[in-house]
Amino acid sequence: MNQPLSTEWSPLSSGQTVAQVLQKNLICCEPQHSIQQAASLMRQHNISCILVKKNELILGIWTESDCKKLDLSDPSVLRQPVSLVMSCPVLSVSDHCSTSDAAALMKQKAVRRLLVTDSAHQAIGIVTQTDLIHQQPLEHYLVLRDISSILVELPLLLQAELTVAQAAILMQQTQRDAAIVQFDCESQHSAEYGIVTERDLVHFVATERTLCTLAEVATRPLLTLPLHSSLLQAVRLLREQGFRHLGVTDSYGKPVGLLSHNHILLNMEHLYISELKAALQARDKALRSSESSLRLAYKVIEASHDAVMITDARGVIQSVNPSFCKLTGYSMNEAVGQTPNLLSSGQHDESFYRQMWQRLQQQGYWQGEIWNKRKNGEIYPEWLSISAVRDENGAINQYAAIFSDITERKKREQKIHELAYFDELTGLANRRLFQDRLEQALANAKRHNHQLAVLFLDLDLFKRINDTLGHQAGDEALRQVATRLQKASRAGESVARLGGDEFTMLVPECDGVHDIEKLAQRIVAQFDLPFQIQQNELVLTTSLGISIYPQHGADAGELLKFADAAMYQAKESGRNKYSIYTRSVGQRHDQALQLEQALRKALSLQQIEVYYQPKVDLQTGQIQSLEALVRWRDKELGEVAPSRFIPIAETLGLIHQLGQQVLRQVCHQLQKWARLAVPVAVNISAKELAAPAFLPQLKQILAETAVNPHLLELEITESCLLPERATQTQQVLQQIRQLGIRLAIDDFGTGYSSLSYLRHLPINSLKIDRSFINALPDNTSDRQITSAIIAMANAMGLDVIAEGVETQAQQDFLLAAGCQLGQGYWFGKAADHYATLQLLQNQIPSSQVRIQ
């Protein structure tokens, strides 16, 4: 070989070697292979890493841990060469390295696997943490310790609505190799849990599912054990199931941690302490019997990555290792002869130390978190393990302490706590923390027999800011709203952001409706002054709903629900108002909730139907194409108008699912009508077009159905063409046109698009909004606008379609003005595919039509 294939580490001690436990199946790929190809190989062989190799030279390694560093929201990332994201050089050990040394190196270098080489520096296998744990005889250690003794951090808890790409970002930010996924179970007022791991991320990359939600792909249910189960039980369960992670639950069955092989290996310092005790006990004997044992004792102490301190039975420091000096700032000369009080931070009282020493005296062992102070005065958290060393008669003659700085771990825990309880954008409490505070306030209100209030706020027409100025402007507006709400609140009142543009306020004690109305007026007044957003002066208003305990509800769920219902009442009353819950408001809210639940069910069962309305040639009356219109008939609700359920689908984030179902139905119908060759137009919302997954899913549907793309037309509204998204929109539209799909601007004349902007878009046609057609030909203003649109479209070489045509007079005017196509009740209402087929067959010679 021309150069070393890795950075190799030499062993310090003997014992079981890595050659006895390694995995010999080395899977490699070429540096030019894409990330997705590498992930596919890892998935195929169910392995945690892949070596990047050119000829016989190992260039680097790509692991499942590296996968979460990628921006998985960008599908193009998966096409990049794996050589751009691999780690190099590869850390390796020789085949005669002991397993204990390998474990120590893994901890020191913060890696979970090592390449194993032979005497000729040729790679012969991989050794992982799992191999070390499964192969070492640890039963005597594991059976004595329970899970709680090594589990010192909260789990990363993710909502099922997050995408895989978003989950990867959070896992990377919190340095987690797995996360618990929470699935809401509304019917049971509870939740069930699943899990997503780094290995799952590799599988999602391999199968291009990085834009799916966790609800679709997370493994469930979560395998769990109670917090105080033994480590032996946990390891056996992991081994039996072939898993690497195990959920840990409290007495209520809620997850409080995730146990992994990594946790177990990192806490093997307990074993090192046992070895250290044996070495210290052997020290006196070593002077009489063998100097090698003495050297071994010193080697264990000197080589430890963590700080080691030895005291006599009275607690006087006898020796420390180099890591102690590095961690505390004290030299060996400064420490020896002192007591551990040298490090005292003053943050623990006498009872803390008294209990520590009582346990040491009784059990010979203590472990826990403690705050100490460095020589420079800096206070830091450490994880400390102290073990008593007894002489041949059982009397304690020394104490061995090993400790490490856990500042970074504490920071990660704080970050996870913030993610769990606080809104990252505004710094306000999130839904989970607000719920906890509301429960506590309710318990206090019931105990002391006083009233409390819940206020539910929603910003009016907030979507316009995101659509016109972009999401950064929207985020800044939300931050400023949070500041104003906090300014309006009083001491003891809690403001929270539930998500989107929804906020809540908790008043834990109030004197009734009059008191809360004054607060509501104060909040509404906070919106009188305009907001300064990106050098724009914007006016924002809020609609506010109020519920009061005990008049309106007895538990947190009812109070939030009724405040939400009252908020919608305020919106219906004209916005920028507040409303107090009443029974009639609740009934309307229940109806809206019923509609939401029915829509979710209809989408899950694919009960949404597609009807077709003809577009005709105004000159000949012949059908030129069709428009797909969505219809929904519910068993209980009856016929539900699109104007009712489409806005709900957008609000609930279901518009993508609805749009995909409509596209898929239309393409399957086009496949059946292939010999008719009739084009069909499908409406696409701005949210759908902006979604990264839209284009890949469109291509997938076309591939599934083998439909001629020229028979498909997408109608987009002018809201899709906002100038601040011009470049992105133009790129997406260009890609759609390159597929052969036609594009039309729907509801033209009601939006913001300019002539200069339209000239650069790859569109084929304009549809004149029905609001300009209704009063034709009598309304002078509408005649002028319609004629101008038609003339402009013709000058640009675009087809022009008038929608909402209902009279002969309207048809005559449009034809005279130069409009080619029309659509509306005058030519035919939307019909199902059976009736539409009959309509199409009636205008085509029967010899040309033999389809179903």
Side-chain angles (χ1 to χ4, degrees):
M1 298 179 65
N2 298 327
Q3 62 184 57
L5 56 80
S6 61
T7 301
E8 189 168 305
W9 188 76
S10 301
L12 290 175
S13 60
S14 59
Q16 188 180 31
T17 66
V18 293
Q20 297 171 278
V21 299
L22 62 80
Q23 302 171 28
K24 296 184 178 179
N25 187 22
L26 288 176
I27 305 300
C28 304
C29 70
E30 296 289 330
Q32 69 271 19
H33 280 179
S34 70
I35 292 172
Q36 185 187 17
Q37 288 174 317
S40 297
L41 276 172
M42 290 167 66
R43 178 173 182 256
Q44 177 185 344
H45 295 278
N46 194 28
I47 53 176
S48 62
C49 67
I50 190 165
L51 294 169
V52 182
K53 186 177 180 181
K54 186 172 184 179
N55 299 325
E56 293 303 313
L57 182 64
I58 293 177
L59 303 178
I61 186 171
W62 189 64
T63 72
E64 56 193 12
S65 178
D66 295 326
C67 188
K68 63 177 185 276
K69 301 174 184 176
L70 303 174
D71 179 9
L72 299 182
S73 64
D74 182 2
S76 66
V77 168
L78 309 188
R79 310 284 182 264
Q80 292 180 353
V82 69
S83 58
L84 295 180
V85 295
M86 69 182 183
S87 299
C88 60
V90 186
L91 190 63
S92 71
V93 293
S94 64
D95 54 0
H96 55 277
C97 174
S98 72
T99 53
S100 60
D101 281 335
L105 180 60
M106 285 184 186
K107 179 176 180 182
Q108 179 185 354
K109 299 295 185 181
V111 297
R112 299 206 296 266
R113 59 193 60 77
L114 297 168
L115 186 66
V116 181
T117 62
D118 59 18
S119 58
H121 297 292
Q122 295 293 322
I124 59 173
I126 292 278
V127 64
T128 68
Q129 287 178 335
T130 305
D131 301 326
L132 299 181
I133 290 173
H134 285 180
Q135 296 297 329
Q136 294 191 59
L138 305 177
E139 281 75 6
H140 66 285
Y141 159 70
L142 296 172
V143 75
L144 295 175
R145 313 230 52 85
D146 63 23
I147 295 173
S148 64
S149 68
I150 71 168
L151 202 66
V152 293
E153 57 187 8
L154 295 169
L156 176 58
L157 190 65
L158 303 178
Q159 296 300 313
E161 292 78 16
L162 292 176
T163 65
V164 169
Q166 291 169 326
I169 292 171
L170 291 172
M171 288 168 67
Q172 175 65 11
Q173 288 177 344
T174 56
Q175 298 183 38
R176 297 304 178 95
D177 61 354
I180 295 175
V181 180
Q182 180 172 318
F183 299 85
D184 291 326
C185 301
E186 297 176 4
S187 60
Q188 302 173 3
H189 300 288
S190 61
E192 70 170 305
Y193 301 95
I195 187 171
V196 60
T197 69
E198 290 175 346
R199 182 154 303 185
D200 294 329
L201 296 182
V202 172
H203 290 186
F204 302 148
V205 168
T207 55
E208 292 192 87
R209 290 185 292 167
T210 56
L211 298 177
C212 294
T213 64
L214 297 179
E216 298 174 74
V217 296
T219 304
R220 57 202 290 198
L222 175 67
L223 183 68
T224 64
L225 273 181
L227 182 61
H228 294 293
S229 304
S230 74
L231 280 175
L232 180 62
Q233 186 179 0
V235 170
R236 284 178 176 173
L237 184 59
L238 288 170
R239 189 178 298 166
E240 290 168 4
Q241 299 293 331
F243 292 167
R244 295 189 298 166
H245 297 85
L246 185 67
V248 183
T249 57
D250 60 15
S251 56
Y252 300 101
K254 291 186 177 181
V256 293
L258 263 179
L259 180 70
S260 69
H261 289 148
N262 189 37
H263 286 109
I264 298 171
L265 196 62
L266 289 178
N267 283 272
M268 296 288 282
E269 288 291 356
H270 305 310
L271 291 184
Y272 300 157
I273 290 176
S274 297
E275 293 177 13
L276 182 59
K277 285 167 57 180
L280 290 168
Q281 288 170 344
R283 186 169 58 179
D284 291 338
K285 294 181 180 179
L287 293 173
R288 298 187 298 270
S289 60
S290 170
E291 291 187 2
S292 62
S293 294
L294 180 60
R295 285 196 301 271
L296 176 61
Y298 281 127
K299 184 176 290 186
V300 171
I301 296 171
E302 295 293 310
S304 176
H305 186 61
D306 290 335
V308 176
M309 175 175 62
I310 311 298
T311 76
D312 63 17
R314 295 175 296 120
V316 177
I317 299 174
Q318 295 178 322
S319 65
V320 295
N321 72 341
S323 293
F324 173 97
C325 301
K326 182 179 179 181
L327 182 61
T328 68
Y330 289 100
S331 67
M332 183 178 295
N333 291 336
E334 290 173 320
V336 172
Q338 301 288 333
T339 69
N341 287 338
L342 178 72
L343 306 176
S344 178
S345 65
Q347 295 200 9
H348 302 285
D349 56 23
E350 292 183 8
S351 64
F352 174 85
Y353 294 106
R354 185 166 55 251
Q355 291 173 8
M356 174 195 293
W357 288 107
Q358 283 176 354
R359 183 171 177 183
L360 271 172
Q361 292 290 332
Q362 295 167 2
Q363 302 180 17
Y365 183 81
W366 185 90
Q367 176 182 260
E369 184 180 303
I370 189 171
W371 289 83
N372 271 339
K373 184 169 64 175
R374 308 187 209 275
K375 182 180 178 180
N376 63 8
E378 179 186 351
I379 295 174
Y380 67 98
E382 67 180 34
W383 189 255
L384 171 64
S385 299
I386 307 175
S387 186
V389 181
R390 301 180 186 273
D391 60 21
E392 295 176 352
N393 300 320
I396 296 175
N397 60 9
Q398 285 177 310
Y399 291 101
I402 183 167
F403 55 93
S404 57
D405 187 340
I406 57 171
T407 300
E408 290 304 316
R409 189 174 77 190
K410 297 288 287 185
K411 288 180 180 178
R412 291 198 300 270
E413 289 176 11
Q414 179 62 28
K415 179 66 175 177
I416 292 170
H417 177 79
E418 291 172 359
L419 290 171
Y421 291 103
F422 291 91
D423 175 52
E424 192 171 9
L425 178 65
T426 63
L428 297 177
N430 65 8
R431 182 186 296 272
R432 185 175 179 181
L433 181 56
F434 183 82
Q435 188 81 18
D436 289 347
R437 289 175 176 173
L438 179 54
E439 297 281 3
Q440 293 174 12
L442 269 173
N444 190 53
K446 292 174 182 178
R447 187 180 306 113
H448 299 287
N449 195 29
H450 62 71
Q451 300 179 84
L452 69 77
V454 172
L455 288 72
F456 197 107
L457 299 87
D458 182 275
L459 302 182
D460 298 326
L461 304 177
F462 178 73
K463 181 177 178 292
R464 287 185 178 179
I465 294 180
N466 283 333
D467 288 346
T468 57
L469 298 178
H471 288 281
Q472 287 187 346
D475 289 348
E476 176 58 27
L478 291 172
R479 282 190 286 267
Q480 291 189 28
V481 167
T483 300
R484 294 196 186 187
L485 291 178
Q486 287 177 306
K487 184 177 179 181
S489 64
R490 299 165 294 192
E493 296 171 352
S494 177
V495 182
R497 178 182 175 228
L498 302 189
D501 60 336
E502 293 181 342
F503 296 83
T504 53
M505 186 180 291
L506 169 63
V507 182
E509 188 170 352
C510 65
D511 295 328
V513 173
H514 181 67
D515 185 30
I516 296 304
E517 280 190 303
K518 288 194 292 185
L519 172 61
Q521 291 164 3
R522 195 161 66 246
I523 291 172
V524 172
Q526 282 291 325
F527 290 81
D528 288 344
L529 291 175
F531 290 76
Q532 298 295 327
I533 310 292
Q534 293 183 352
Q535 300 180 343
N536 294 292
E537 191 173 271
L538 303 178
V539 176
L540 279 175
T541 60
T542 183
S543 297
L544 193 155
I546 301 167
S547 64
I548 300 175
Y549 167 84
Q551 297 96 306
H552 301 144
D555 61 46
E558 284 185 336
L559 289 171
L560 271 172
K561 173 184 173 183
F562 295 154
D564 185 22
M567 182 271 293
Y568 277 105
Q569 170 64 22
K571 278 192 181 295
E572 291 172 5
S573 300
R575 298 190 175 93
N576 199 29
K577 296 181 179 180
Y578 67 87
S579 175
I580 299 174
Y581 176 78
T582 63
R583 188 175 297 276
S584 61
V585 167
Q587 289 174 347
R588 287 197 296 274
H589 185 269
D590 289 342
Q591 290 170 358
L593 185 61
Q594 181 186 12
L595 185 61
E596 289 179 12
Q597 293 172 337
L599 179 58
R600 290 183 187 276
K601 182 178 179 181
L603 287 171
S604 65
L605 298 177
Q606 300 197 11
Q607 294 174 340
I608 302 296
E609 294 183 80
V610 175
Y611 276 44
Y612 300 88
Q613 187 176 35
K615 300 178 187 178
V616 304
D617 187 314
L618 294 176
Q619 181 71 44
T620 66
Q622 290 288 302
I623 297 174
Q624 296 298 309
S625 61
L626 304 168
E627 180 179 1
L629 300 171
V630 65
R631 294 291 183 265
W632 174 30
R633 177 178 291 278
D634 185 80
K635 290 182 179 179
E636 296 181 6
L637 301 174
E639 189 81 30
V640 184
S643 58
R644 286 186 67 196
F645 69 82
I646 289 179
I648 291 175
E650 288 190 333
T651 301
L652 298 178
L654 301 173
I655 193 66
H656 305 288
Q657 186 178 354
L658 174 61
Q660 290 300 305
Q661 287 192 20
V662 172
L663 260 177
R664 189 166 266 109
Q665 281 192 54
V666 167
C667 286
H668 279 286
Q669 198 61 56
L670 281 172
Q671 188 182 43
K672 294 178 181 178
W673 291 347
R675 295 181 63 184
L676 285 174
V678 57
V680 177
V682 180
N683 289 283
I684 301 297
S685 73
K687 283 188 177 180
E688 288 180 90
L689 192 67
F694 175 74
L695 204 57
Q697 289 170 343
L698 174 62
K699 292 177 181 178
Q700 182 179 345
I701 292 172
L702 290 174
E704 285 175 7
T705 56
V707 165
N708 182 352
H710 295 285
L711 296 178
L712 185 64
E713 182 176 59
L714 300 185
E715 293 186 1
I716 58 176
T717 60
E718 284 190 271
S719 62
C720 297
L721 308 178
L722 297 173
E724 58 275 1
R725 291 207 301 260
T727 302
Q728 179 185 356
T729 302
Q730 192 168 351
Q731 289 174 350
V732 174
L733 295 182
Q734 290 285 4
Q735 290 176 292
I736 292 173
R737 284 290 292 122
Q738 287 169 6
L739 295 174
I741 297 171
R742 290 174 56 86
L743 290 168
I745 305 297
D746 195 15
D747 300 335
F748 187 79
T750 62
Y752 322 92
S753 52
S754 66
L755 180 60
S756 60
Y757 183 37
L758 285 176
R759 289 174 55 223
H760 300 304
L761 294 176
I763 56 175
N764 304 95
S765 56
L766 299 180
K767 290 188 72 175
I768 306 174
D769 186 69
R770 68 180 62 249
S771 63
F772 299 116
I773 307 299
N774 290 338
L776 290 179
D778 301 323
N779 187 289
T780 303
S781 175
D782 287 346
R783 285 203 311 270
Q784 292 173 342
I785 292 172
T786 303
S787 297
I789 293 174
I790 294 170
M792 180 189 73
N794 288 335
M796 295 175 64
L798 302 175
D799 295 335
V800 59
I801 306 156
E803 57 182 1
V805 180
E806 297 184 359
T807 67
Q808 181 68 55
Q810 290 171 347
Q811 179 180 355
D812 293 341
F813 171 81
L814 291 166
L815 189 59
C819 182
Q820 303 98 344
L821 301 171
Q823 178 183 352
Y825 288 173
W826 180 246
F827 308 111
K829 295 183 178 181
D832 62 26
H833 62 92
Y834 297 109
T836 302
L837 176 60
Q838 292 298 319
L839 187 64
L840 294 171
Q841 289 175 330
N842 289 339
Q843 74 169 25
I844 299 176
S846 58
S847 61
Q848 297 180 23
V849 182
R850 295 188 62 83
I851 56 177
Q852 297 180 349

